[in-house]
Amino acid sequence: MVKNYINGELVEAVSGQFFDNYDPSEGTPYDITPDSDERDIELAVKAAEKAFPKWSNTPVEERSAIIMKIASLIQRDIGEFARAECVDNGKPLALAKTVDIPRAIRNFEFFASAIHGFSSESHSMEDKAINYTLRNPIGVVGAISPWNLPLYLFTWKIAPALITGNCVVAKPSEITPVTAYMLSEICIEAGLPKGVLNIVHGYGHKTGKAISSHPKIKAITFTGGTKTGADIASIAAPMFKKLSLELGGKNPNIIFADCNYEQMLETTVLSSFRNQGEICLCGSRIFIEKPIYEKFKKDFTAKTKKLKIGDPLQANTDQGAIVSKEHMEKILSYIQLAKEEGGTVLCGGNRVELEGRCKNGWFIEPTIIEGLPYNCRTNLEEIFGPVVTLIPFETEEEVLKMANSTEYGLASIIWTENLSRAHRVAAKIQTGIVWINCWMVRDLRTPFGGMRSSGVGREGGIEALRFFTEARNICVKLQ
Ligand code: NDP
């Protein structure tokens, strides 16, 4: 049973109510989650406010040591964490073990050490005056995260918020609460002082909304859908809260004929279907230069057909379950839309019914569609599942126009061996992140985030440390 973590204690929701948590690979409830509301958020904010003076004045070495301890305890329990993430989300166990949980650990380790290099600036005005910048923690901050990379994205927000001396009220997705609950147990064991981190579980429209509208929460870091981001901004902006919004994407994967073909093909299978396509950075629109279109289509389809869809707990599974029935139905409705818009399904397109333990689970075949115009709904709207479209192109100008045609601007991928072209296209593509001849290579020091409807603000490295602090300039007259 998942519990809230408020003021250092594991407690039930004030309402005393719970809702079911599902195992997507079986399609059945297997646990219960507290149905929290504004009363629980109020308790969490009070605890955070109380903890703030001491935590913000705790020497940075001590804060860093506690955060490192949290990282090492997750490392100790990595097997349990990976299994829990796999069962809760439906992702393959191997992926949780090699990506999600190690990266969550790395988030804590990275920010626990990055803080030591975080210095303030000084601006000298010759002999007139000298300015220096103080960067103080904000106070109580809110963090709201999605279900696709549950612990990984949750810690991406919590680690920089805590290390800069803030106290946090956080809500993981109601669909995948378990590893956040396990993290609360770890925080208690690591000796994180009471109230410094509070994790409140519940629905977005209740618990999440109570975070965005609470007057004492001065900053909100949110990762999730664009519509939810807009709702949060409409509440938080008039209250002058600091906002960092990491939202949806419809990322282009641009393949030029001169690319390193084998490398491109192997990585494109991953960038299309990893985590069932439920990664905001997946390349869901694949643009292929005409001379290699037919060859790519044949090879890519053949490789995709070999992906093993199966029980996420099995070591040889490539594709696990879709996170919820509702999301599975949304993806299937987009495949139907693609057909209505004139698309041809080259492979996949259907729900998969497995045998044994997973016979009622929510699985979808990796799906490749061609023959759609770049500006139809299927190619403009985020599907967030194992569905990609193939679109041929002739010129750089044409592919840039098509790639930049959605409202989103999160990430893009470019495959070419032509160095000048790679830089030229990267400079003109409207996304916050551009990968050239690779995908998902992450250096935690780099700015992470999207343009346009993919978000506001940047996370990662110094950007995150700056977001969670308030800059104040002190000007000292010298004469
Ligand atoms: P949602 O926007 O539905 O939910 C994200 C979080 O917000 C959840 O915790 C949710 O709670 C909560 N929430 C929902 N409604 C509200 C509200 N009115 N006020 C406050 N909080 C609310 O996104 P998903 O969980 O479906 O995640 C998928 C989306 O996340 C995709 O669009 C994907 O592109 C995006 N994403 C973006 C990333 C990026 O870095 N840019 C990375 C990963 C995902 P509940 O679960 O209870 O609804």
Side-chain angles (χ1 to χ4, degrees), residues 67 107-108 111 154-164:
I67 300 227
N107 287 340
F108 281 119
F111 284 108
F154 196 56
T155 54
W156 180 237
K157 296 175 174 309
I158 286 171
L162 292 179
I163 199 66
T164 41

Side-chain angles (χ1 to χ4, degrees), residues 144-148 153 171-175 202-205 208-209 212 222-225 228 231-232 246-249 280 382 384 410 448 454:
I144 304 175
S145 61
W147 47 257
N148 63 325
L153 291 177
K171 187 193 102 58
S173 170
E174 129 252 337
I175 300 168
Y203 291 112
H205 64 272
K209 198 168 176 190
S212 28
F222 169 79
T223 299
T228 317
D231 287 350
I232 291 175
E246 299 295 339
L247 310 175
C280 54
E382 186 184 43
F384 212 54
L410 184 54
F448 179 92
S454 288

Side-chain angles (χ1 to χ4, degrees), residues 97-109:
K97 241 186 214 163
T98 53
V99 177
D100 289 74
I101 310 304
R103 290 198 180 191
I105 295 167
R106 187 73 193 113
N107 287 340
F108 281 119
E109 289 173 345

Side-chain angles (χ1 to χ4, degrees), residues 124-168:
S124 162
M125 301 170 74
E126 288 88 41
D127 54 356
K128 264 193 242 133
I130 185 159
N131 297 273
Y132 61 91
T133 313
L134 286 183
R135 290 187 184 276
N136 301 115
I138 294 170
V140 180
V141 301
I144 304 175
S145 61
W147 47 257
N148 63 325
L149 304 165
L151 191 68
Y152 175 7
L153 291 177
F154 196 56
T155 54
W156 180 237
K157 296 175 174 309
I158 286 171
L162 292 179
I163 199 66
T164 41
N166 298 283
C167 292
V168 180

Side-chain angles (χ1 to χ4, degrees), residues 148-304:
N148 63 325
L149 304 165
L151 191 68
Y152 175 7
L153 291 177
F154 196 56
T155 54
W156 180 237
K157 296 175 174 309
I158 286 171
L162 292 179
I163 199 66
T164 41
N166 298 283
C167 292
V168 180
V169 177
K171 187 193 102 58
S173 170
E174 129 252 337
I175 300 168
T176 52
V178 175
T179 47
Y181 170 65
M182 292 167 74
L183 174 66
S184 39
E185 294 179 309
I186 292 276
C187 289
I188 294 171
E189 189 180 344
L192 187 70
K194 286 180 178 193
V196 168
L197 171 63
N198 303 274
I199 301 175
V200 186
H201 298 272
Y203 291 112
H205 64 272
K206 260 203 255 179
T207 320
K209 198 168 176 190
I211 292 179
S212 28
S213 54
H214 199 291
K216 295 280 173 60
I217 296 180
K218 296 293 181 202
I220 298 197
T221 166
F222 169 79
T223 299
T226 295
K227 162 89 183 53
T228 317
D231 287 350
I232 291 175
S234 72
I235 294 172
M239 299 170 85
F240 308 111
K241 296 181 188 224
K242 250 182 144 175
L243 276 175
S244 169
L245 304 173
E246 299 295 339
L247 310 175
K250 186 76 180 175
N251 308 312
N253 177 2
I254 302 174
I255 301 169
F256 287 96
D258 69 353
C259 66
N260 178 329
Y261 190 81
E262 287 312 314
Q263 245 184 44
M264 174 281 296
L265 191 61
E266 199 163 309
T267 308
T268 295
V269 174
L270 293 178
S271 67
S272 302
F273 301 119
R274 198 157 212 201
N275 205 45
Q276 300 71 246
E278 296 165 333
I279 302 182
C280 54
L281 305 167
C282 279
S284 54
R285 294 178 297 151
I286 309 181
F287 297 97
I288 308 110
E289 202 174 0
K290 272 203 175 139
I292 60 162
Y293 184 84
E294 290 303 325
K295 177 175 167 49
F296 173 80
K297 173 173 136 181
K298 184 166 139 279
D299 295 344
F300 180 58
T301 308
K303 257 192 174 312
T304 300

